[in-house]
Amino acid sequence: MSSQLPAYDDPSDAFPHLFPPRSQSESLDEIDSRFVFDFSTYDEIDESTQRWTTWYDVEPLCRGPEPRPDWVVTSRGAVDTELGILKTGKEADAFLVERADQHDPDNGVVMVAKRYRSTEHRTFHRSALYTEGRSMKRSRDNRAVKAKSTWGRVMAAGQWVTSEWDALKRCWTLGLPVPYPVQVDGSEILMEWITADGETAPRLAQTRPDPALLGWYFEQLHEAVATMAQAGLVHGDLSAYNILAAGERLVIIDLPQVVDLVGNPQGMDFLLRDLTNVCGWFRSRGLEVDEHELFGDIISTSF
């Protein structure tokens, strides 16, 4: 013969001697805080133009260096919204993306998403010259790249994303004027959007600075190139077209082809070419500067 125990909604009903009578307020006050949490509901997103933040989809090493700027949005409830294309290029396209939490829209941020194209739709001009002195962890990957096999082309394509990401992080850590690198995810790099008066900052080539500002721009550029050289880095493709003028501040962009000044046999040639390009632009605006003199000054302080 079997018997069934009565069901109790509250343990205190079954064992009254173990649970003295308490008021409801007293019971709530004694709830362990570890078992209490807040939550918020979010609206559905438009998947044609939006995605949930990818910040937590990437490994910690794929996020920007610390300390991070206050404007970086790390909320798990943030949404990335496509705002349109910013610039097209031979190797990658740049888009504007807003990252914001639905419950905190005022603290959202607009960033640049640089997306590298697939190996079938991109060509790096004289890429072998830039990659001399670089190496991969696996020797077979190095051999594949040199042989230009199918796998080698895939690995070479990934090199450019990694190269720019590493260059941005290193330059930012050195205090150089580059966009803050927020994160890298596959072939996409999210970085700081450089603005002037609320709009995308113009390229230096598009500006007509007065003599005083022109001299100040040159001082900034001299210091930046010298700092890079002291760290063993050369931009490799520096010109007035990949320098942004954010008011009175210059910001250097487009760094996938960064060259090892010492490891690359043509590192010095790249440095002189960079200086020739920028000095030529400054001379065209009326500032008397000499790339050879600047080259000598930078080399003398770098070694």
Side-chain angles (χ1 to χ4, degrees):
M1 181 177 179
S2 63
S3 61
Q4 184 175 0
L5 295 175
Y8 295 101
D9 293 330
D10 190 329
S12 62
D13 294 337
F15 307 99
H17 59 289
L18 298 178
F19 296 90
R22 295 177 297 177
S23 67
Q24 183 176 6
S25 60
E26 289 175 333
S27 299
L28 291 175
D29 289 341
E30 294 180 13
I31 294 177
D32 193 324
S33 61
R34 293 174 297 176
F35 298 97
V36 179
F37 62 93
D38 294 325
F39 69 93
S40 301
T41 59
Y42 286 82
D43 297 332
E44 294 293 329
I45 63 173
D46 180 357
E47 295 186 356
S48 65
T49 58
Q50 295 180 313
R51 68 187 182 192
W52 293 106
T53 178
T54 56
W55 177 259
Y56 291 98
D57 295 340
V58 301
E59 297 178 359
L61 290 177
C62 293
R63 300 173 191 153
E66 297 182 350
R68 300 187 182 102
D70 293 339
W71 53 262
V72 175
V73 176
T74 61
S75 168
R76 288 186 177 273
V79 174
D80 295 345
T81 302
E82 297 282 337
L83 300 181
I85 194 162
L86 177 64
K87 175 184 174 293
T88 59
K90 294 179 180 179
E91 299 84 24
D93 298 322
F95 300 81
L96 288 181
V97 174
E98 180 186 43
R99 175 169 288 176
D101 190 307
Q102 294 177 11
H103 297 291
D104 190 20
D106 292 339
N107 287 319
V109 63
V110 177
M111 302 175 290
V112 171
K114 187 171 184 178
R115 294 165 184 161
Y116 281 83
R117 297 188 183 141
S118 65
T119 55
E120 295 81 13
H121 299 95
R122 54 195 266 201
T123 308
F124 277 88
H125 183 50
R126 295 178 296 180
S127 61
L129 297 178
Y130 293 110
T131 55
E132 285 191 74
R134 296 182 190 174
S135 62
M136 295 182 175
K137 292 182 179 179
R138 299 190 300 183
S139 59
R140 67 176 182 176
D141 292 337
N142 277 312
R143 292 194 298 270
V145 170
K146 291 178 181 178
K148 298 183 179 179
S149 64
T150 301
W151 177 246
R153 288 194 296 270
V154 172
M155 292 303 298
Q159 264 191 304
W160 295 104
V161 183
T162 302
S163 177
E164 178 152 35
W165 172 251
D166 289 342
L168 283 169
K169 288 196 301 179
R170 188 172 179 189
C171 288
W172 176 268
T173 303
L174 289 170
L176 287 160
V178 298
Y180 177 76
V182 178
Q183 69 176 74
V184 61
D185 186 11
S187 60
E188 177 189 79
I189 298 177
L190 284 175
M191 65 184 79
E192 179 184 3
W193 178 36
I194 305 300
T195 63
D197 299 323
E199 301 292 334
T200 301
R203 297 175 184 275
L204 183 60
Q206 299 171 306
T207 66
R208 296 293 184 272
D210 59 46
L213 184 56
L214 186 70
W216 171 232
Y217 279 166
F218 185 75
E219 288 182 32
Q220 292 181 60
L221 199 56
H222 181 179
E223 181 178 355
V225 174
T227 301
M228 289 185 71
Q230 289 164 10
L233 303 174
V234 179
H235 186 282
D237 193 29
L238 193 62
S239 74
Y241 290 94
N242 45 34
I243 300 170
L244 301 180
E248 296 186 353
R249 181 174 69 103
L250 293 185
V251 179
I252 298 172
I253 60 172
D254 294 337
L255 296 130
Q257 69 294 310
V258 162
V259 173
D260 186 322
L261 179 59
V262 177
N264 189 307
Q266 301 184 68
M268 296 293 182
D269 294 333
F270 277 115
L271 176 58
L272 181 57
R273 191 183 70 176
D274 281 357
L275 298 177
T276 300
N277 288 339
V278 296
C279 285
W281 183 86
F282 278 97
R283 279 197 300 270
S284 72
R285 295 296 184 271
L287 188 66
E288 290 302 319
V289 291
D290 181 85
E291 56 267 25
H292 296 284
E293 180 181 335
L294 185 60
F295 177 82
D297 178 65
I298 289 174
I299 292 302
S300 67
T301 58
S302 300
F303 296 96

